[in-house]
Structures are given as C-alpha cells and as structure tokens.
Amino acid sequence: MSNFGFGSNGPDDESDDERRRRENENGRSGNDPFGFGANPFGMFFGPQGGPGNQGSHGGPQGPGLGDILNQFGSMLSGFGRDMNSPDAQGPVNYALAERIARQQLSGSAAKSRPAAKDSQAVAESVRLVELWLDEATTLPAGATGSVAFTGPQWLDETLPRWKRVINPLAEKLGDATMEGMPEEIRSQMGPMMGIFSQVNGMNFGMQLGRALGELAGSVAMSTQWGIPLAEGSVAAIATDRLDDLSRKLGAERRETLIYLAAREAAHLRLFQHVPWLVERVILDVEEFATGLSLDNSALEEASQEFNPEMLGDPEKLQEMMSQLQNSDLSPTIVSSTDHARVRLETSLSLIEGWVDVVVGEALGERLPVASSIGAAWSVYRDNDQPGMESLVKTVGISLAAPKASEAAELWRRLTVAVGTERRDDIWNHPDFLPVDTDLDSPAGFIDSVLASQEEVAGFDPIGEIERLERELNEGFDAPDDGDNGDTGDSDDK
C-alpha cells in the first residue's frame, strides 16, 4: 500500500485473487459469508433432491460429509477471526463488514489490480483534462498523480474514512436499540450487555458489508459521492467499469474515460483548495447522527392487532399472519436533527453541480458528446447507484446529491452574471455558499452576489482612509458635552 492513496500490493503481499482462491478452497465463496456453500444440506440431498453422496469427498451429486465438516470449520475459523480482530471492537464489526464486502465482488470486480496499460490510459486522460480545466476554473490542479483501480483496492483505500462517517451513526443507533428494550429486560441483562453490543456490532457489520460490496462493484471514480473517501489527492478511475458505463452513458470507452477523468480532476481541485469543505461534510454527518432514533411504531401497531382469542380461531390467526408477512415491521431510522441532513445534501449538491458546470465548460466543443454524456451521467447518478439504498437502510443517511441539477443551474447562471473568478470565490468561506432555498430560487442569491460585487467595485480605499481621518480630526477639535457641563458648573460655584 502506498501512503498517498490508491496504492497497490507489494510483491510479497498476498493479492486479493490469491486470498479469494485460498478461501474458496477452504469452502467460502461468493455471497456466503459464513462458508456453508450453496447447499449446506448436500450431504443428504443432491442437486435434484435425491440422496447425496455420503462419502468423504464431494461428487457430482453434492458434497460429502468431509466437505461439510471442512466448510463448517472454515465458517467457525472466519467467525473467530472476525470476533477477535481489532476491527471488531466498537459499534460496527468492520472485520466482518470487509470480509462480506470482498466476498460479494466477483468477476472483473474481484481483480486485485488493473493492468499497467489501464493506469497509463488514466494518466494520459488526466493530463489532458487538467489543461482544459485550467480554462474553466480559477482553482488550480489538485491531483498529484493518477491511477486505475479495482473494487478490492477501493475497499482498502476507503475503509478508514468510511469508519469515521459510519461510527457516529452506528453508535447512536446502537444506543437507540438498547433504549427501545423494556426497562425490566435491560436491568436483568447485566453482564450480557457486552455480548449484546458485540452481536449488534456484527449485525451492523453484515449490513454494512453488503452495502460496501455493492458500492465497490459499481464505483467508477474515487470522488463519485461528493467527498474524497480515500486519503490523498490521486485521481483514481475504475477502468474495469468503463465498458458497462459506456453502454449506460451511450458513449465510446475512450470518451467515457475522458469524462470520468475530468470529473475526478475537478473534484480534487475543490477538495485540495477548499480546505474546510471535506471537514464540513463529515461534521454534518456527525451532527445528523446526534438526533438519530428508531421508530418502532409499525411493530407496535401490529402487536396491538393481536388478540389472544385468535389462538382459538385458526382462520383469523392465519389471516393475521398473512398480513404480517406482507408488512415491513422493521424499525425506521428517524432524526431530530434533520437540518443537518438538509445541509449535508445541499453541500453535496453544490459540489456535484459545480463539477457539472466546470466539466461541461472544460470539455465543451473538445468532446462533442460531452453534453449527452453529462445528461446521461445525471440520470445514472440520481437513479442507478447500487449500494446507496442499502447504506440508507443500515445507518439512515445517503451520500447522494438530490439537488445537483438545481445547483448546476445556479452555478451556470452565476457564471454568466459575475464570471468564473467571482463564481469560484464563493468557495472561500462556508458562509458565502448558497443554502437549500437558494437552489430552488437562485435569483435572490445571484442578486446578492452582484450587489456585493458592485460594493467592492465602488470601494475607494484611499478616499475611505481620508474620510476616516477627517472624522477623527473633527472629533478631536470639537469639545464634548461632558467638558462643557463641568466648566459651566465650575463657573457657577
């Protein structure tokens, strides 16, 4: 691993391919985090439901007893490592989350590292778009390097920042789970509370692992969700996603790579030269977490419908059970600090909208299909983000930018009104940025920027100094009322 983000395994490190092959040989595969395999009962029933092979080795009719025992041993071994790992401490069992996420990756997404030619193609594309971006924004280049990456690499590089984003949310939800238990049960649990916390951490780990696995299999660039999830300032593109994305965006592979490189480089210009931006986004997440709670009203309403007399009426009992099976009784995550969520969504929308405008201006006529790719990307960003829905269900928050299109329109109109330099100066301080209501009605915000620009343009520093000096001199020359009053009193006496 390099120390600047998106590095690669050293020559003596076990690659992800090698580790996955070893785990598969031990009986853990695909989406089976516990290592049972596709059919844990294959020792009794073959693939067609008939008797399986009772021998010690798996045959065409299914695994034998020895295979089942090996798989069970592998499951226990993995479970033990996950429980005893340092990453298992805290509100989320990250050891389990990482293992599940990696096992979800398959096919090209499971490659440990891209080919050298892929990284070379990314480097050439980044160098090209940086020249074009110089004409579209006053913010200087922020990328210090470039690299192609794969899903497993993305997990390696982003887990540290995911922990900071997820931990406050998981901690609060863990507390909410305990608070939702009846007081008499909590008082009797005693030393079992620690075990319950570990189980809760594993539950979060399993859900988070599934979400991260989906995200890792679909991520196209390191800044895809509006914040740099990887440390450092390397422009990173998932080249194994280019073919699939090209089909969705209706573009050639080379055109898609240039477009992604431009978005990645534009994001890094913001993140590297607006130092408060990333911290503000994370603080919004932490503030949102302080108000999280679990709404169990669905389960409570369902329990109120139960009548003990139903136990003697199988027909009514069956009817109630059918209704419960079709109902979602899981707790809903709610927050009393919804303003923090709105501020987070506004920040992410402003970032994505600014990148939309800058990339559009930079590519312009240089890439004839840039406008159509940009429109297709907006649709993909809003409607086709695998893993984001799972993340919302797990911790109650999304990194989507729901008003990116509105923000892009604001930045576009602001550019026409005040120019590129003044537009980019808005990022100098968080208080200068538009708020949520400005995205719906940008005219007022643009007028305020125009007014402040006119004030600055009409400001005469030399004349202002001379005016202040005159006022000070006049103040020293004129006797104050207090002195006049004292003198008058003295004369009377």
Side-chain angles (χ1 to χ4, degrees), residues 325-397:
Q325 288 176 355
N326 297 325
S327 303
D328 183 5
L329 303 180
S330 58
T332 303
I333 300 174
V334 296
S335 177
S336 61
T337 52
D338 203 53
H339 62 277
R341 178 191 59 79
V342 172
R343 191 166 61 242
L344 172 66
E345 291 180 349
T346 301
S347 297
L348 295 176
S349 296
L350 288 171
I351 292 169
E352 289 300 291
W354 183 88
V355 170
D356 286 348
V357 171
V358 169
V359 168
E361 293 178 357
L363 299 185
E365 297 180 355
R366 298 182 175 102
L367 191 66
V369 297
S371 59
S372 63
I373 294 178
W377 175 264
S378 296
V379 174
Y380 171 77
R381 175 180 57 201
D382 296 340
N383 304 308
D384 192 10
Q385 294 279 1
M388 196 55 65
E389 184 177 351
S390 298
L391 187 65
V392 175
K393 290 181 178 179
T394 302
V395 291
I397 201 166

Side-chain angles (χ1 to χ4, degrees), residues 416-450:
V416 174
V418 301
T420 299
E421 183 175 359
R422 184 70 184 93
R423 177 201 69 195
D424 292 347
D425 286 345
I426 300 296
W427 293 104
N428 287 342
H429 194 277
D431 291 344
F432 296 164
L433 286 178
V435 296
D436 178 61
T437 54
D438 294 327
L439 300 184
D440 298 321
S441 181
F445 176 79
I446 295 174
D447 288 343
S448 68
V449 176
L450 282 169

Side-chain angles (χ1 to χ4, degrees), residues 99-118:
R99 185 155 68 93
I100 291 177
R102 290 190 184 281
Q103 290 173 350
Q104 280 192 235
L105 298 175
S106 60
S108 60
K111 292 191 301 184
S112 61
R113 68 192 74 183
K117 64 178 182 179
D118 291 333

